[in-house]
Amino acid sequence: MAAAPVIVVGAGIGGLAAAIALTRAGRRVLTLERAEKIEEVGAGLQISPNAGRVLQEFGLSPALEKIALEPHALDIRRAADGATLARLPLAAARSRWGAPFRVFHRADLQNALLEKALSLGATVRTGVRCSGFSQDEDGVRLIVHSESGEETLDAEAVIGADGLRSSIRSGLRLCENDEPIDLGLTAWRALFPIETAPASLRERATHLWLGPGAHIVHYPLRDASIVSAVAIIEGATAPAESLNGEELARAIGFERWNADLRALIEAAPAWRRWPLFGRPELVRWSRGRVTLLGDAAHPMTPFLAQGAAQAIEDAAALGRAFEPGGQSVEAALDAYQAARTQRAIKIQRGSRRQGFYFHMSGPAAVARDLAIRALGGAGMLARNAWLYR
Ligand SMILES: Cc1cc2nc3c(=O)[nH]c(=O)nc-3n(C[C@H](O)[C@H](O)[C@H](O)COP(=O)(O)OP(=O)(O)OC[C@H]3O[C@@H](n4cnc5c(N)ncnc54)[C@H](O)[C@@H]3O)c2cc1C
C-alpha cells in the first residue's frame, strides 16, 4: 500500500506553493480545496523579490515571464495635492536581490502555481472541505466533507494553508482567545480598463497615495491593459458590498483631493469591499504532524504587501525541512517552524507600523513627508531591504 500523502488544506497561493515545494522534496502530496473551482479574487498582487526568487527556484520563470508586469518605479505621492514625495527605483531589484518586483492578476499567478504543482505530480481535489483532524505518532486522520458525504483521509502530515479563518488552526489550539480580530480597516478593490484611467497615471509604475486615515495603491497589470487599485481606509466606510467610483470618493472624502487621483477612483465602475481581520501572533505553528502556512499561520495587514510573499517563503522553508535526510515528520515540522516564526512575527509587526505611518495626519504627516523627501527613492527602498534580501 502506498504511504499516506502529505495533505495540504487550501489551494490558495500558499497551499499551491506548498504543494510544489513538497513534491520537489519527494513527498506525495494531496491538496484539498473547499471551493468547487480554483479561482482567486479578481484583484492584483505585488510579489517582491524575496518571494520572486522562490518562484524562480520552483522553475516558474518561463510562466512568470508571460503573466507578470515589472513596474520600473514606485511613486509615493501625497493624496491632497499630488506632490511626489519619492520615486523608488524598482528596476534595480533584479540585480540587487535576484528577482524583480512583479505584479500579477491573482488568478494568473494561482493558475501558474496550480499547473506547476500538477506537472510535478501533486493531486488537487476541489469541493472538499476539511472540518477537523486527530493524530498520533503514526499519522493524521483528516475529516473532510464533499458531495459524496463525510470521509476520513489518512495523512503523513497535514499543512493547514486554509487562510485567516483556518479550521486547522482552530483544531491545533495553539493559544487562548484565538478568534479573528476586526482590525477596523476596510480595503476596497477594483480592476478596470487602463484607458479609462487619467493619462498621467497609466505608466508601468506602482503608485502609492498617502492621505489621513487612508491610502491608495494602483498599478497596471498583464500587458498594462488593466489597472488594479486598492484603497485601504480606517473604519467601516460604508455598509455596501460594492460602490461605484463616485460613491467611494464621497464615502472617504477623496473628492477634496488631487484631481487625477479622484479621476482614477471614479474611473472604476465597481469597488468591492474587503473588511480586514487579523489573528493573534503565534510563536508555535505546529503540533506533532500538523502545521500551518500562510495566512492561517500569520495573517498580516497589507501595508508591506507581504502576505502572499510570506506564504511563498513558508512553502520554500517547508520544502527544505522535508528534503530527504531521514528526520521524522515531527522534526521536519519543528525545523520549518523554527525557520519561519521570527521573520513572520517581525513582518506582522512591521506591517502594522507601516499602516500608522501611511495613515498619519496633521503635523505627524508633515514630518513623515519631510522624512520621505529627505530619504529619497533609493533611501526608501533601502529601508525595506531587510524584507527583500
Ligand atoms: C487588500 C489586500 C491586498 C493584498 N496585497 C498583497 C500584495 O500585494 N502582496 C502580497 O504578498 N500579499 C498581499 N495581500 C495578502 C495576501 O492576499 C494573502 O496573504 C494571501 O492571499 C494568503 O494566501 P493563503 O494561501 O495563505 O490563504 P488564502 O488565499 O486565504 O487561501 C486559503 C484557501 O483555503 C481554502 N479553504 C479555507 N478553509 C478550507 C477548508 N476548511 N477546507 C478546504 N479548503 C479551505 C480557501 O477556499 C482558500 O482557497 C493582500 C491582502 C489584502 C486583503
Side-chain angles (χ1 to χ4, degrees):
M1 208 173 71
V6 176
I7 298 187
V8 178
V9 180
I13 284 162
L16 291 171
I20 294 171
L22 289 164
T23 46
R24 277 165 52 87
R27 297 291 157 153
R28 209 157 69 78
V29 179
L30 169 63
T31 302
L32 304 175
E33 168 56 50
R34 73 176 167 194
E36 291 299 330
K37 216 171 143 224
I38 299 210
E39 55 189 359
E40 256 287 359
V41 291
L45 188 68
Q46 307 176 67
I47 292 293
S48 50
N50 46 316
R53 279 197 309 276
V54 174
L55 298 178
Q56 291 164 195
E57 278 160 33
F58 285 172
L60 279 159
S61 295
L64 302 183
E65 288 294 316
K66 289 193 197 121
I67 58 175
L69 184 144
E70 295 179 19
H72 53 76
L74 165 65
D75 270 357
I76 306 182
R77 300 181 66 171
R78 193 161 53 207
D81 59 2
T84 298
L85 302 174
R87 189 168 173 82
L88 281 59
L90 302 187
R94 195 187 282 270
S95 59
R96 196 161 165 200
W97 293 306
F101 285 88
R102 296 180 172 104
V103 294
F104 297 92
H105 191 298
R106 281 174 178 257
D108 295 345
L109 181 59
Q110 198 175 25
N111 281 334
L113 292 170
L114 175 63
E115 274 175 27
K116 181 51 107 179
L118 295 174
S119 75
L120 291 168
T123 306
V124 179
R125 277 180 66 189
T126 55
V128 183
R129 181 177 61 82
C130 305
S131 64
F133 62 86
S134 60
Q135 63 171 319
D136 56 29
E137 61 271 20
D138 296 326
V140 190
R141 283 153 303 282
L142 194 64
I143 302 160
V144 304
H145 308 262
S146 64
E147 245 186 1
S148 36
E150 182 177 306
E151 354 165 24
T152 303
L153 301 177
D154 288 328
E156 182 190 19
V158 168
I159 316 300
D162 48 345
L164 187 130
R165 293 174 193 279
S166 166
S167 63
I168 301 297
R169 175 164 172 158
S170 304
L172 281 169
R173 296 182 206 286
L174 293 163
C175 74
E176 296 280 307
N177 304 321
D178 188 23
E179 294 304 310
I181 304 159
D182 184 342
L183 299 178
L185 293 163
T186 308
W188 291 87
R189 291 164 143 173
L191 286 182
F192 51 96
I194 202 156
E195 61 269 16
T196 62
S200 64
L201 297 180
R202 291 187 204 163
E203 65 169 324
R204 286 176 173 252
T206 301
H207 290 84
L208 164 63
W209 300 81
L210 304 180
H215 78 279
I216 292 198
V217 178
H218 62 90
Y219 41 82
L221 286 183
R222 291 186 171 153
D223 53 355
S225 56
I226 45 180
V227 176
S228 169
V230 57
I232 299 188
I233 296 150
E234 286 173 18
T237 324
E241 286 301 309
S242 170
L243 292 178
N244 69 33
E246 280 177 25
E247 289 165 338
L248 182 70
R250 242 194 333 273
I252 60 180
F254 267 36
E255 69 267 61
R256 292 187 305 276
W257 292 8
N258 174 264
D260 280 349
L261 175 57
R262 202 175 59 225
L264 180 111
I265 294 170
E266 291 179 357
W271 289 82
R272 278 168 308 105
R273 189 170 68 110
W274 196 276
L276 298 184
F277 286 82
R279 281 184 94 157
E281 282 170 9
L282 289 181
V283 289
R284 282 188 62 78
W285 299 351
S286 307
R287 241 186 235 290
R289 291 171 174 260
V290 181
T291 196
L292 301 172
L293 180 143
D295 275 9
H298 48 66
M300 48 186 72
T301 53
F303 301 108
L304 286 173
Q306 281 295 311
Q310 290 310 303
I312 292 167
E313 281 193 17
D314 291 345
L318 190 65
R320 276 194 296 278
F322 271 93
E323 267 163 15
Q327 65 176 344
S328 68
V329 168
E330 289 88 342
L333 294 187
D334 279 348
Y336 157 66
Q337 166 182 278
R340 293 295 303 151
T341 44
Q342 276 190 2
R343 177 161 162 90
I345 288 177
K346 187 171 175 192
I347 296 175
Q348 282 177 303
R349 293 180 186 172
S351 198
R352 275 202 302 276
R353 274 197 305 277
Q354 185 88 327
F356 294 126
Y357 189 70
F358 278 5
H359 289 186
M360 282 172 170
S361 56
V366 174
R368 175 203 60 202
D369 294 353
L370 284 171
I372 294 176
R373 280 199 153 122
L375 267 178
M380 286 296 289
L381 196 57
R383 201 170 154 254
N384 282 342
W386 65 276
L387 275 173
Y388 310 138
R389 271 195 287 270

